[in-house]
Structures are given as C-alpha cells and as structure tokens.
Amino acid sequence: GIQVEQSPPDLILQEGANSTLRCNFSDSVNNLQWFHQNPWGQLINLFYIPSGTKQNGRLSATTVATERYSLLYISSSQTTDSGVYFCAVERGPGNQFYFGTGTSLTVIP
Amino acid sequence: DSGVTQTPKHLITATGQRVTLRCSPRSGDLSVYWYQQSLDQGLQFLIQYYNGEERAKGNILERFSAQQFPDLHSELNLSSLELGDSALYFCASSLRLAGSQETQYFGPGTRLLVL
C-alpha cells in the first residue's frame, strides 16, 4: 500500500499563533483529504484537495501532487482547533483510503 | 451533529463472540464507509458501499463482513472477536462515490471493547 507520513507528530501552540502541518505520500493518488478529530473523538472532513489550494476561514490547504505532499495551514489558532489532524489519500483501483498517523495539536489559552 | 447515526455507542463483549454494528447514513447519501481506529493501528479504512454494492475494500479481516441494505443503512459484522479488535469503529456517508470530491460525514463511532 501507499505510505502516508505526517509531521510534526505533536504540536503545542499559544492561542493566536499560526501553524503548518505536513503530509507526505509515497505514490500518486486520486485524491487527498484532511480531517480533524476533536478531543471528544468526532471526525470532521476539512478539505478534499487532490491539488491546488483551498481556503475555509482560518484554515487553508495546499496539495502539490507532483511532489507528493500536502500542507494544512491554521492561522490565528484557537483552543477549539485542538485535536488530531489526519491526512488521508485515496488511491485506485477501488478507491482505497490510506491514513497518516496524525498530528496532535494542543492550543493553549 | 453530522446526521450519521451509529448504534450502539459502546459495546463490551468477550473473545470469540460476534457483534453487529449499525450505521444509518445521512438522508440522501448513497455511499457508506467503515473505518477502524485503534491505538496501535491508527485509522484504517475497512470497506465502502455505494447504493447497496461493495465498491472498495481496505484492511478488512476475513472475520469481518459488511453489507448495505436497500434502505441504505449498513451493518458491520465482527466475528470470532479477539482482544486486538478492540477499537473505535466509525461509519461515514457521502452523497456519491469517493473521488467525486464529496465530503464524508462521520458518525460518532462505536467503541468496542473485547475482554
């Protein structure tokens, strides 16, 4: 299968700081998603981003498919941003999903 | 609230037993996905159904099986349970097939503990 690596594994930020999370993948993919799992375990899809850049409020993501990486930017972080951020890639045939090990983010007031 | 429901929320059972996890997708969603999250394996994709048909298979053990019914709800059956099957099992749904940039909406998960 495809390898998906995320960095850093852990991140502690002061509220208001900016951060960049990285996802590297080992082969070409059909699609890429970013998810956030809050401290209560709920998973939320943040972005579908096979290539290019997307923005949603304080979050934005960029995927450079030719270089096999994606970046998730969090600006002006808030305590509600705490949780684990997962990157998942989708690869055919059969559109299987492969997850990274996640980046655990803690935002301190 | 994502609109995806999963039952039960918690399940405690013994090794060798069989359990069924249930998922009801959001109204109108045709695709259902099952995922397993454990401490040692992380998040793993198990299987995907679209409108009643299996469409993608991931790291699903032979002891596990799933189906999607005509009313689009799905069940994940886990049999001959082992300690290592203890995990959080998520269901997600989306309107169409993966790859069409459809957002997946996740249920709250079923926490399975095998003793």
Side-chain angles (χ1 to χ4, degrees):
Chain A
I2 192 169
Q3 304 303 312
V4 183
E5 296 179 353
Q6 291 186 244
S7 60
D10 299 282
L11 189 57
I12 300 176
L13 295 176
Q14 202 75 40
E15 199 169 24
N18 302 328
S19 62
T20 300
L21 283 56
R22 186 176 179 105
C23 170
N24 292 333
F25 43 99
S26 62
D27 209 337
S28 60
V29 297
N30 299 338
N31 218 327
L32 185 143
Q33 302 177 63
W34 283 97
F35 296 92
H36 174 226
Q37 186 170 35
N38 67 23
W40 296 271
Q42 179 66 40
L43 274 164
I44 298 170
N45 183 295
L46 298 175
F47 293 104
Y48 251 117
I49 184 161
S51 63
T53 298
K54 287 187 179 179
Q55 178 144 13
N56 185 1
R58 296 179 297 102
L59 302 181
S60 66
T62 294
T63 297
V64 184
T66 53
E67 296 187 23
R68 298 178 186 166
Y69 74 89
S70 183
L71 302 173
L72 179 69
Y73 305 97
I74 305 174
S75 64
S76 304
S77 58
Q78 300 176 359
T79 55
T80 51
D81 296 330
S82 296
V84 182
Y85 290 81
F86 291 99
C87 161
V89 299
E90 185 184 337
R91 178 174 170 82
N95 293 328
Q96 290 197 40
F97 291 90
Y98 300 89
F99 285 84
T101 51
T103 291
S104 178
L105 173 65
T106 302
V107 180
I108 301 170
Chain B
D1 185 358
S2 66
V4 179
T5 59
Q6 289 188 247
T7 56
K9 288 188 178 178
H10 303 277
L11 197 48
I12 302 174
T13 188
T15 53
Q17 295 298 305
R18 172 190 168 97
V19 297
T20 298
L21 312 183
R22 182 187 170 102
C23 169
S24 293
R26 291 188 325 148
S27 177
D29 282 358
L30 300 178
S31 274
V32 170
Y33 312 78
W34 285 99
Y35 299 91
Q36 179 195 58
Q37 186 175 31
S38 61
L39 284 175
D40 53 346
Q41 299 287 334
L43 258 171
Q44 292 194 95
F45 166 68
L46 296 179
I47 199 163
Q48 179 207 347
Y49 281 85
Y50 173 76
N51 205 19
E53 292 187 8
E54 181 185 306
R55 285 305 177 101
K57 214 168 192 177
N59 295 326
I60 187 166
L61 300 172
E62 285 191 11
R63 299 183 286 108
F64 296 180
S65 65
Q67 55 183 324
Q68 185 180 27
F69 293 86
D71 67 352
L72 301 177
H73 91 271
S74 179
E75 292 181 358
L76 179 66
N77 300 296
L78 315 176
S79 61
S80 302
L81 284 167
E82 301 175 1
L83 297 178
D85 298 327
S86 296
L88 189 52
Y89 291 85
F90 286 104
C91 163
S93 74
S94 70
L95 180 58
R96 290 191 294 269
L97 283 170
S100 60
Q101 305 219 4
E102 285 288 333
T103 298
Q104 290 186 36
Y105 295 87
F106 283 81
T110 292
R111 189 170 295 278
L112 173 67
L113 180 58
V114 182
L115 300 175

